[in-house]
Amino acid sequence: MKSKKWPEDWQDVNIGCIVSNPGSAREYHTGGWRAQRPICDNEKCIKCGVCYIFCPEGCIIERKDGFFEANLDYCKGCGICAHECWPFAIKMVEEG
Amino acid sequence: MGERKGMEIALAAAEAAALCRPDVVAAYPITPNTHVPEHLANIVSEGKLDAEYICVESEHSALSACMGASGAGARVFTATSSQGLLYMAEIMSIASSMRLPVVMALGNRALSGPLNIWNDHSDIMSQRDTGWISLFASHGQEVIDMIIQAFRIAEDADVLLPINVNLDGFQLTHVVEVMDFPSQSEVDAFLPAYKPFASLHPDHPCSMGTLGLPEIYSEATKAREVAIVNSRKTILKVWAEWEKAFGRRYEPVESYKMEGAQEAIMTMGSMGETAEIAIDALREKGIPVGLLKLKLWRPFPYEDVRKAAKGLKSLLVLDRAVSFGGPGGPVASEVRSSLYGETDRPAITNYIFGLGGRDVAVEDFIKMFEKMRSGDKKRSKDQYEFYGVRGE
Ligand code: SF4
Ligand code: SF4
């Protein structure tokens, strides 16, 4: 189960489906699930970090300039950051 | 050397579990199995067992705590009944899918409703397909033996599955019986320390119980099914070793007076004891009838059932649960599928009886046997029948 994304056959499934290579969730890009993406208006952002705390995916990072940005490889588009951002800086925009 | 003494079977179940030196016990009391966790709590509080006893707030938590501890490499034990088992239902399948060798003493009790605290097998049957190994004891000695065997089987590197040991509520849990208790050194020699296949340890990080997407769920399910089917080999191996060490024989289907039998009754659980007396009485009258006692419910012993049924003209399968709107009793349903492909197979009659603590006497087994033999036309068309229900 090391390098491959899925075990090839049922015989290759780890006992109890344990995942023994730490951080392997990184290999699965949940960004593919997204229907809407969060767009931040940095004019309104006060750099409070509430979005960073609430993102269930843990994919929001703090940039050097203090603003926050979602890593779209992993952002599922759940909209929680937009809902929690109290200065209303984040808007959810349809993909595509 | 062990010791022979009289004791309530629920207390004996706790003593047997303590002899296995579990690291963690997490259970929530529920009738009729209350005395199992209660007595274990005493054993721990008196310092006779060095275990973590977790007073959980529910059965859901009891099984969850056992699984967390098992994941960390501990030997774990829990006990429950009926509604308590239903409260664990969400966790039951997860325990087997995570391959955590939890051992449970299940004091069988009818499911509500109507609310009923007495014995039948509707509780375990509701959890039949959760991937646990299921053993059925017919008396106190088997309860002790099976609990000790259960740890060996569950923790075997070729098995790694949770096990429930079924003991009929009240009929077993509350009955005082004279039993042989193996000594601590005998149990230590039989049951080595648990070597976990993986454990939650910071030096060897791993994730347990992760998401299984459609790309993996089918393969994971097949791996689980193969694991429980293969556990049969280990169960038989452990039973053979048990017989060597303690002189008591265990088989998936135990025979009683089957020599030359043309007809047989099949039971599972404590009713087998009463049925034996009925068989004695029928044999005395010269009727060639025997008894088959099912000890292993999952993985179901298809080959043993086929072997046991060979040459029989008729087989009366008795069930203490009903699969509503389905094939009647769950045991008969499995027996029928075991024999479907056989050309030489007995006619099978299925009665559902002894529900919610309804007393079943020796005469009832004789009556059921005679009823089966009477060749009642209505019965032959029916897949199953309730026995002893008013208004027949
Ligand atoms: S939409 Fe959801 S997943 Fe994406 S950044 Fe916002 S909170 Fe995180
Ligand atoms: S919650 Fe809104 S205001 Fe606060 S840092 Fe995030 S985007 Fe900026």
Side-chain angles (χ1 to χ4, degrees):
Chain A
M1 218 167 165
K2 294 269 146 53
S3 52
K4 279 181 214 146
K5 204 161 173 187
W6 316 113
E8 204 64 51
D9 301 319
W10 67 264
Q11 291 94 336
D12 307 327
V13 176
N14 283 347
I15 291 180
C17 292
I18 63 158
V19 179
S20 50
N21 44 334
S24 61
R26 224 178 281 137
E27 290 159 28
Y28 188 80
H29 289 179
T30 46
W33 302 9
R34 197 174 57 242
Q36 295 183 325
R37 69 169 65 195
I39 300 290
C40 187
D41 180 354
N42 286 349
E43 299 280 299
K44 289 187 189 157
C45 173
I46 60 160
K47 301 179 176 176
C48 67
V50 163
C51 54
Y52 165 87
I53 289 165
F54 275 89
C55 173
E57 197 52 36
C59 73
I60 297 181
I61 46 147
E62 187 182 359
R63 298 192 324 212
K64 282 219 172 65
D65 59 10
F67 287 113
F68 289 82
E69 193 177 272
N71 181 339
L72 295 180
D73 278 349
Y74 302 105
C75 166
K76 292 170 178 166
C78 68
I80 288 174
C81 53
H83 182 83
E84 295 297 335
C85 172
W86 49 286
F88 307 106
I90 304 178
K91 274 203 171 59
M92 298 304 291
V93 179
E94 294 294 325
E95 287 287 0
Chain B
M1 268 301 281
E3 200 186 344
R4 174 167 293 189
K5 54 187 173 188
M7 193 186 276
E8 186 194 284
I9 295 172
L11 304 186
E15 295 275 341
L19 281 169
C20 298
R21 303 185 192 273
D23 302 296
V24 172
V25 177
Y28 191 86
I30 180 165
T31 303
N33 224 19
T34 301
H35 291 178
V36 181
E38 202 173 78
H39 191 53
L40 266 166
N42 283 339
I43 294 172
V44 173
S45 73
E46 286 163 8
K48 291 183 195 149
L49 173 67
D50 180 21
E52 192 68 44
Y53 189 97
I54 308 177
C55 291
V56 284
E57 75 281 16
S58 75
E59 287 85 356
H60 190 282
S61 304
L63 187 51
S64 301
C66 281
M67 282 172 58
S70 181
R75 173 171 289 165
V76 300
F77 181 77
T78 189
T80 193
S81 284
S82 184
Q83 306 305 114
L85 183 68
L86 287 198
Y87 201 4
M88 287 180 175
E90 188 185 7
I91 318 298
M92 289 291 286
S93 270
I94 305 175
S96 63
S97 85
M98 287 172 69
R99 306 289 296 276
L100 298 172
V102 179
V103 173
M104 174 196 292
L106 182 57
N108 303 112
R109 157 183 156 186
L111 293 181
S112 300
L115 173 62
N116 179 295
I117 60 167
W118 295 273
N119 170 231
D120 70 27
H121 295 162
S122 49
D123 55 2
I124 180 59
M125 291 309 163
S126 78
Q127 300 304 304
R128 184 188 65 179
D129 297 335
T130 54
W132 286 54
I133 294 172
S134 286
L135 307 178
F136 266 84
S138 44
H139 50 76
Q141 188 64 58
E142 289 186 355
V143 172
I144 295 180
D145 295 357
M146 282 179 173
I147 286 175
I148 302 168
Q149 295 159 3
F151 284 98
R152 255 297 292 279
I153 298 164
E155 295 172 358
D156 190 289
D158 290 336
V159 177
L160 295 168
L161 284 169
I163 300 193
N164 46 62
V165 174
N166 292 269
L167 58 152
D168 284 329
F170 294 108
Q171 265 117 358
L172 292 186
T173 56
H174 285 54
V175 165
V176 175
E177 199 179 294
V178 177
M179 292 162 278
D180 282 323
F181 290 77
S183 69
Q184 186 64 64
S185 59
E186 284 172 325
V187 175
D188 290 346
F190 182 79
L191 181 64
Y194 171 44
K195 284 197 208 82
F197 65 97
S199 73
L200 297 169
H201 192 283
D203 290 347
H204 315 282
C206 72
S207 301
M208 294 180 177
T210 55
L211 173 75
L213 294 166
E215 289 84 346
I216 181 72
Y217 190 87
S218 305
E219 283 70 22
T221 302
K222 164 130 188 184
R224 254 169 104 180
E225 162 69 354
V226 171
I228 191 163
V229 170
N230 283 347
S231 72
R232 174 188 164 85
K233 282 192 220 105
T234 306
I235 295 168
L236 298 184
K237 189 186 82 188
V238 170
W239 279 349
E241 280 179 41
W242 182 269
E243 189 182 358
K244 248 198 191 151
F246 301 100
R248 289 186 290 274
R249 187 176 172 76
Y250 282 84
E251 292 167 293
V253 181
E254 194 184 288
S255 302
Y256 180 75
K257 300 207 168 162
M258 284 296 289
E259 308 78 37
Q262 291 178 358
E263 292 164 291
I265 299 177
M266 183 185 269
T267 59
M268 190 164 75
S270 62
M271 284 297 179
E273 296 298 286
T274 321
E276 279 187 7
I277 306 170
I279 295 288
D280 291 346
L282 290 165
R283 279 275 183 176
E284 234 157 75
K285 283 195 227 160
I287 303 168
V289 59
L291 178 68
L292 298 170
K293 291 168 63 179
L294 195 57
K295 298 283 163 72
L296 179 61
W297 171 236
R298 281 294 185 272
F300 191 80
Y302 292 98
E303 38 204 291
D304 305 78
V305 168
R306 278 194 281 270
K307 224 173 108 198
K310 221 173 185 71
L312 287 177
K313 276 210 242 76
S314 54
L315 176 61
L316 171 59
V317 184
L318 301 177
D319 264 289
R320 305 193 65 187
V322 58
S323 170
F324 292 111
V331 177
S333 169
E334 301 299 23
V335 171
R336 283 194 173 106
S337 15
S338 306
L339 300 174
Y340 184 75
E342 304 295 289
T343 37
D344 165 33
R345 57 168 197 245
I348 293 172
T349 304
N350 178 208
Y351 293 153
I352 291 155
F353 81 125
L355 301 181
R358 177 67 59 86
D359 195 27
V360 183
V362 174
E363 304 80 70
D364 289 303
F365 286 95
I366 295 171
K367 273 189 205 150
M368 282 189 273
F369 180 71
E370 281 166 357
K371 193 170 149 68
M372 171 193 79
R373 285 182 128 201
S374 70
D376 171 357
K377 287 212 183 58
K378 203 177 110 223
R379 169 181 61 74
S380 59
K381 271 186 268 155
D382 285 336
Q383 280 261 303
Y384 59 93
E385 233 181 272
F386 284 81
Y387 170 81
V389 173
R390 288 185 298 274
E392 272 178 294

